Amino acid sequence: DTAVSQTPKYLVTQMGNDKSIKCEQNLGHDTMYWYKQDSKKFLKIMFSYNNKELIINETVPNRFSPKSPDKAHLNLHINSLELGDSAVYFCASTQTGQETQYFGPGTRLLVL
Amino acid sequence: AQSVTQPDIHITVSEGASLELRCNYSYGATPYLFWYVQSPGQGLQLLLKYFSGDTLVQGIKGFEAEFKRSQSSFNLRKPSVHWSDAAEYFCAVGFGGNKLVFGAGTILRVKS
């Protein structure tokens, strides 16, 4: 009964490939996020969706495309992967007005 | 601009000693304040949060934090550190709109 889950946990791929990461939450929340944690462990928000609608879109290359099929799922598709995309990607969720975000276990992406 | 500062990149304490991790923020009003912990290879776990009311908040694993408005600080404390507390600790601040800004993190090492 994991609250926020991500798949895969690890992803190793070659430069130029396209890959997707999936996130699901069973907390009944209406808002979900993608964060990127770089090699220096700095966490930065990338996107946020509220009820399937994009509400936060930080300065992220348009090779990154989030998709929310329903409010319990938020996927991240990355085209033409680059070495600099290597990072840990965290999904999080919250309920509007509650402010507290709950994080998934992370997806460790390594681009070779 | 809104910002979060964790001045200490690394802290080493002896097992059984007390701990204080510092967090300062820059914002004109009182934000929402959080501490998260990340064990190696793991996701982010919420330790505690402050929204309003009593400025000393208790969290899980014996941690507490105190909000000091005059110093724009939200320092994390624990009276007696255990070896299992070794991890990276992130202060996060919500400035409204369900968006969190994270500090750079403090790595805690515990020596026996």
Side-chain angles (χ1 to χ4, degrees), chain A residues 60-75:
Chain A
V60 176
N62 54 17
R63 298 182 294 104
F64 289 79
S65 50
K67 276 201 173 62
S68 181
D70 56 62
K71 68 177 190 177
H73 295 85
L74 180 62
N75 304 325

Side-chain angles (χ1 to χ4, degrees), chain A residues 46-57 66 68:
Chain A
M46 299 173 70
F47 301 103
S48 174
Y49 270 75
N50 176 267
N51 277 320
K52 304 193 295 175
E53 197 175 321
L54 182 66
I55 55 168
I56 295 175
N57 185 354
S68 181

Side-chain angles (χ1 to χ4, degrees), chain A residues 11-89:
Chain A
L11 186 53
V12 181
T13 187
Q14 300 286 334
M15 266 176 51
N17 284 351
D18 303 337
K19 290 292 177 188
S20 290
I21 307 171
K22 297 186 179 204
C23 178
E24 177 180 0
Q25 53 93 5
N26 62 7
L27 296 166
H29 290 164
D30 62 0
T31 304
M32 295 182 73
Y33 305 81
W34 280 112
Y35 285 85
K36 180 180 180 180
Q37 186 177 46
D38 62 24
S39 57
K40 294 188 176 153
K41 298 294 190 74
F42 186 64
L43 266 158
K44 194 161 189 300
I45 189 168
M46 299 173 70
F47 301 103
S48 174
Y49 270 75
N50 176 267
N51 277 320
K52 304 193 295 175
E53 197 175 321
L54 182 66
I55 55 168
I56 295 175
N57 185 354
E58 296 293 298
T59 310
V60 176
N62 54 17
R63 298 182 294 104
F64 289 79
S65 50
K67 276 201 173 62
S68 181
D70 56 62
K71 68 177 190 177
H73 295 85
L74 180 62
N75 304 325
L76 183 64
H77 187 75
I78 315 170
N79 287 326
S80 302
L81 278 155
E82 300 177 357
L83 294 176
D85 298 332
S86 296
V88 182
Y89 292 85

Side-chain angles (χ1 to χ4, degrees), chain B residues 32-49:
Chain B
Y32 305 103
L33 298 160
F34 306 84
W35 276 99
Y36 287 86
V37 60
Q38 184 178 24
S39 297
Q42 301 297 312
L44 289 151
Q45 182 181 22
L46 179 68
L47 282 176
L48 46 75
K49 61 188 177 187

